[in-house]
Amino acid sequence: MARMAAHKIIIDTDPGQDDAVAILLALASPELDVLALTCVAGNVPLDLTTCNARKIAELAGRPDLPIYAGCDRPLARPLVTAEQVHGASGLDGPDLPEPSMPLAKGHGVDFIVDTVRREAPGTVTLVAIGPLTNVATALTRAPDISARLGRIVLMGGAHFAGGNVTPAAEFNIHVDPHAAKLVFACGAPLTVLPLDVTYKALVTPARTTAFRDIGTPVGTAVAALTDAPHRHNTEKFGAPGVPLHDPCTITYLLRPDLFRGRHINVEVETGSDLTLGMTVADWWGVTTRAPNATFLTEVDADALFSLLTERLARL
Ligand code: BDR
Ligand code: CA
């Protein structure tokens, strides 16, 4: 029987502890062909996100993976970072060596444009798990790529869950709302994993123990990565665990059947100081605005964590 070709993806990322787990999950999954990581400023500045991405690739035994530096600041606003969640390094928790692999030559945005233009139409998925600056810059510079992209799968936004950096906004959208607005309007098929779904994918102490019990350097590192933000989250939000935001995107590519949501219209607020970066999701269909995003709100969390643990054990 002929083997199905692996699904080509580019991961646009700002590692970030949960970004790191998403990258490891993707690299552990034979169904996915990770063409490159493109880094963006977000959780921490660009010099740290590019360093962290390389640490993770080396941890996964993939020093050959192309990793590009992308945009170092949002389109129209100063950078807001999240060291209070991810630590000063962006990757607090595990003790990972400084990377020795070099960054790939060139700019991450050029890589996205060139790759989507070169590959067959509909075959490349862009997985965006940081602020959308690189993605929006690519779409603005090369509007033709929106019709060639297979899909954009992004972690960002919220509807029922409110926000995590302001009462109204989720971090990735809030950091670069102008970029997010361009992405939601670009016309490419869009799947959104907002806080509504990621708040249901909680790393509890038992799930961290399962990572540690893998007994490999990757298992130990992921246990440390997911343990570190635990205190922040329990103290601030009173949740029984840490939401594992970004790995929801990769899990969705592997097992879309684990998720539920609706195809609806989602617009991004860029004008109001009070609600800047809010994703205004027409969940109830009360406007005539055309649907532009599949907005997911439910996940089978036990199945997600079983899959994740099983895959991480392969690295
Ligand atoms: C998002 O913000 C970042 O801190 C995480 O890496 C995730 O992408 C969650 O709001
Ligand atoms: Ca992220």
Side-chain angles (χ1 to χ4, degrees), residues 18-19 43 86 129 155 164 170-172 195 245-246:
D18 60 326
D19 300 72
N43 285 317
H86 299 266
I129 55 179
M155 190 280 132
N164 59 355
E170 179 279 330
F171 179 80
N172 288 339
L195 296 180
H245 306 286
D246 294 340

PDB file of all heavy atoms in Angstrom, residues 18-19 43 86 129 155 164 170-172 195 245-246, ligand 1:
ATOM      1  N   ASP A  18       5.207  26.672  26.013  1.00  0.00           N
ATOM      2  CA  ASP A  18       4.217  25.836  25.316  1.00  0.00           C
ATOM      3  C   ASP A  18       4.529  25.746  23.828  1.00  0.00           C
ATOM      4  O   ASP A  18       4.248  24.731  23.186  1.00  0.00           O
ATOM      5  CB  ASP A  18       2.783  26.333  25.574  1.00  0.00           C
ATOM      6  CG  ASP A  18       2.549  27.764  25.112  1.00  0.00           C
ATOM      7  OD1 ASP A  18       3.484  28.588  25.193  1.00  0.00           O
ATOM      8  OD2 ASP A  18       1.424  28.067  24.680  1.00  0.00           O
ATOM      9  N   ASP A  19       5.163  26.770  23.267  1.00  0.00           N
ATOM     10  CA  ASP A  19       5.649  26.656  21.881  1.00  0.00           C
ATOM     11  C   ASP A  19       6.626  25.489  21.768  1.00  0.00           C
ATOM     12  O   ASP A  19       6.594  24.720  20.799  1.00  0.00           O
ATOM     13  CB  ASP A  19       6.421  27.911  21.444  1.00  0.00           C
ATOM     14  CG  ASP A  19       5.601  29.179  21.485  1.00  0.00           C
ATOM     15  OD1 ASP A  19       5.325  29.652  22.591  1.00  0.00           O
ATOM     16  OD2 ASP A  19       5.252  29.684  20.404  1.00  0.00           O
ATOM     17  N   ASN A  43       6.712  36.203  23.243  1.00  0.00           N
ATOM     18  CA  ASN A  43       6.897  35.902  24.668  1.00  0.00           C
ATOM     19  C   ASN A  43       8.147  36.563  25.223  1.00  0.00           C
ATOM     20  O   ASN A  43       8.184  37.008  26.367  1.00  0.00           O
ATOM     21  CB  ASN A  43       6.997  34.388  24.878  1.00  0.00           C
ATOM     22  CG  ASN A  43       5.643  33.706  24.750  1.00  0.00           C
ATOM     23  OD1 ASN A  43       4.655  34.192  25.263  1.00  0.00           O
ATOM     24  ND2 ASN A  43       5.620  32.580  24.049  1.00  0.00           N
ATOM     25  N   HIS A  86       6.704  32.943  31.157  1.00  0.00           N
ATOM     26  CA  HIS A  86       7.679  32.003  30.593  1.00  0.00           C
ATOM     27  C   HIS A  86       9.075  32.127  31.192  1.00  0.00           C
ATOM     28  O   HIS A  86       9.974  31.383  30.825  1.00  0.00           O
ATOM     29  CB  HIS A  86       7.760  32.200  29.075  1.00  0.00           C
ATOM     30  CG  HIS A  86       6.459  31.948  28.378  1.00  0.00           C
ATOM     31  ND1 HIS A  86       6.113  30.738  27.826  1.00  0.00           N
ATOM     32  CD2 HIS A  86       5.385  32.756  28.193  1.00  0.00           C
ATOM     33  CE1 HIS A  86       4.897  30.813  27.312  1.00  0.00           C
ATOM     34  NE2 HIS A  86       4.438  32.037  27.519  1.00  0.00           N
ATOM     35  N   ILE A 129       1.882  30.181  16.159  1.00  0.00           N
ATOM     36  CA  ILE A 129       1.675  30.036  17.602  1.00  0.00           C
ATOM     37  C   ILE A 129       2.311  31.195  18.385  1.00  0.00           C
ATOM     38  O   ILE A 129       2.603  31.061  19.565  1.00  0.00           O
ATOM     39  CB  ILE A 129       2.170  28.649  18.100  1.00  0.00           C
ATOM     40  CG1 ILE A 129       3.631  28.380  17.721  1.00  0.00           C
ATOM     41  CG2 ILE A 129       1.265  27.561  17.568  1.00  0.00           C
ATOM     42  CD1 ILE A 129       4.167  27.032  18.219  1.00  0.00           C
ATOM     43  N   MET A 155      -2.997  29.602  17.098  1.00  0.00           N
ATOM     44  CA  MET A 155      -3.420  29.718  18.490  1.00  0.00           C
ATOM     45  C   MET A 155      -3.555  31.201  18.774  1.00  0.00           C
ATOM     46  O   MET A 155      -2.582  31.957  18.655  1.00  0.00           O
ATOM     47  CB  MET A 155      -2.365  29.103  19.430  1.00  0.00           C
ATOM     48  CG  MET A 155      -2.836  28.974  20.887  1.00  0.00           C
ATOM     49  SD  MET A 155      -2.716  30.511  21.788  1.00  0.00           S
ATOM     50  CE  MET A 155      -4.314  30.615  22.584  1.00  0.00           C
ATOM     51  N   ASN A 164      -6.450  36.816  28.473  1.00  0.00           N
ATOM     52  CA  ASN A 164      -5.456  36.478  29.502  1.00  0.00           C
ATOM     53  C   ASN A 164      -4.445  37.592  29.751  1.00  0.00           C
ATOM     54  O   ASN A 164      -3.735  37.553  30.745  1.00  0.00           O
ATOM     55  CB  ASN A 164      -4.754  35.137  29.194  1.00  0.00           C
ATOM     56  CG  ASN A 164      -4.028  35.138  27.857  1.00  0.00           C
ATOM     57  OD1 ASN A 164      -4.106  36.093  27.087  1.00  0.00           O
ATOM     58  ND2 ASN A 164      -3.318  34.055  27.579  1.00  0.00           N
ATOM     59  N   GLU A 170      -6.481  38.067  24.255  1.00  0.00           N
ATOM     60  CA  GLU A 170      -5.492  36.991  24.413  1.00  0.00           C
ATOM     61  C   GLU A 170      -4.128  37.502  23.951  1.00  0.00           C
ATOM     62  O   GLU A 170      -4.056  38.336  23.045  1.00  0.00           O
ATOM     63  CB  GLU A 170      -5.969  35.781  23.587  1.00  0.00           C
ATOM     64  CG  GLU A 170      -5.065  34.571  23.613  1.00  0.00           C
ATOM     65  CD  GLU A 170      -3.895  34.694  22.655  1.00  0.00           C
ATOM     66  OE1 GLU A 170      -4.060  35.375  21.620  1.00  0.00           O
ATOM     67  OE2 GLU A 170      -2.828  34.129  22.942  1.00  0.00           O
ATOM     68  N   PHE A 171      -3.049  36.971  24.505  1.00  0.00           N
ATOM     69  CA  PHE A 171      -1.702  37.502  24.291  1.00  0.00           C
ATOM     70  C   PHE A 171      -1.315  37.621  22.808  1.00  0.00           C
ATOM     71  O   PHE A 171      -0.887  38.700  22.359  1.00  0.00           O
ATOM     72  CB  PHE A 171      -0.675  36.626  25.042  1.00  0.00           C
ATOM     73  CG  PHE A 171       0.742  37.075  24.866  1.00  0.00           C
ATOM     74  CD1 PHE A 171       1.248  38.140  25.613  1.00  0.00           C
ATOM     75  CD2 PHE A 171       1.586  36.457  23.949  1.00  0.00           C
ATOM     76  CE1 PHE A 171       2.558  38.570  25.456  1.00  0.00           C
ATOM     77  CE2 PHE A 171       2.899  36.882  23.787  1.00  0.00           C
ATOM     78  CZ  PHE A 171       3.387  37.936  24.543  1.00  0.00           C
ATOM     79  N   ASN A 172      -1.390  36.541  22.038  1.00  0.00           N
ATOM     80  CA  ASN A 172      -0.856  36.578  20.662  1.00  0.00           C
ATOM     81  C   ASN A 172      -1.549  37.642  19.811  1.00  0.00           C
ATOM     82  O   ASN A 172      -0.905  38.314  18.991  1.00  0.00           O
ATOM     83  CB  ASN A 172      -1.023  35.213  19.970  1.00  0.00           C
ATOM     84  CG  ASN A 172      -0.068  34.179  20.523  1.00  0.00           C
ATOM     85  OD1 ASN A 172       0.952  34.514  21.123  1.00  0.00           O
ATOM     86  ND2 ASN A 172      -0.404  32.910  20.341  1.00  0.00           N
ATOM     87  N   LEU A 195      -8.426  30.658  23.518  1.00  0.00           N
ATOM     88  CA  LEU A 195      -8.358  30.272  24.933  1.00  0.00           C
ATOM     89  C   LEU A 195      -9.531  29.368  25.316  1.00  0.00           C
ATOM     90  O   LEU A 195      -9.397  28.534  26.217  1.00  0.00           O
ATOM     91  CB  LEU A 195      -8.380  31.512  25.831  1.00  0.00           C
ATOM     92  CG  LEU A 195      -7.203  32.482  25.709  1.00  0.00           C
ATOM     93  CD1 LEU A 195      -7.392  33.654  26.673  1.00  0.00           C
ATOM     94  CD2 LEU A 195      -5.873  31.787  25.994  1.00  0.00           C
ATOM     95  N   HIS A 245      -1.398  25.805  25.606  1.00  0.00           N
ATOM     96  CA  HIS A 245      -2.019  26.473  24.456  1.00  0.00           C
ATOM     97  C   HIS A 245      -1.531  25.935  23.099  1.00  0.00           C
ATOM     98  O   HIS A 245      -2.295  25.401  22.307  1.00  0.00           O
ATOM     99  CB  HIS A 245      -1.705  27.974  24.481  1.00  0.00           C
ATOM    100  CG  HIS A 245      -2.069  28.670  25.749  1.00  0.00           C
ATOM    101  ND1 HIS A 245      -3.365  28.956  26.100  1.00  0.00           N
ATOM    102  CD2 HIS A 245      -1.298  29.161  26.758  1.00  0.00           C
ATOM    103  CE1 HIS A 245      -3.379  29.605  27.255  1.00  0.00           C
ATOM    104  NE2 HIS A 245      -2.142  29.738  27.673  1.00  0.00           N
ATOM    105  N   ASP A 246      -0.249  26.157  22.828  1.00  0.00           N
ATOM    106  CA  ASP A 246       0.230  25.983  21.453  1.00  0.00           C
ATOM    107  C   ASP A 246       0.190  24.543  20.938  1.00  0.00           C
ATOM    108  O   ASP A 246      -0.079  24.331  19.734  1.00  0.00           O
ATOM    109  CB  ASP A 246       1.644  26.568  21.325  1.00  0.00           C
ATOM    110  CG  ASP A 246       1.651  28.086  21.506  1.00  0.00           C
ATOM    111  OD1 ASP A 246       0.585  28.709  21.350  1.00  0.00           O
ATOM    112  OD2 ASP A 246       2.725  28.646  21.806  1.00  0.00           O
TER     113      ASP A 246
HETATM  114  C1  BDR B   1      -0.222  32.326  23.894  1.00  0.00           C
HETATM  115  O1  BDR B   1       0.618  33.339  24.436  1.00  0.00           O
HETATM  116  C2  BDR B   1       1.899  32.843  24.683  1.00  0.00           C
HETATM  117  O2  BDR B   1       2.351  33.253  25.932  1.00  0.00           O
HETATM  118  C3  BDR B   1       1.823  31.342  24.544  1.00  0.00           C
HETATM  119  O3  BDR B   1       3.032  30.830  24.015  1.00  0.00           O
HETATM  120  C4  BDR B   1       0.660  31.132  23.606  1.00  0.00           C
HETATM  121  O4  BDR B   1       1.063  31.148  22.262  1.00  0.00           O
HETATM  122  C5  BDR B   1      -1.346  32.062  24.882  1.00  0.00           C
HETATM  123  O5  BDR B   1      -2.090  33.221  25.105  1.00  0.00           O
END
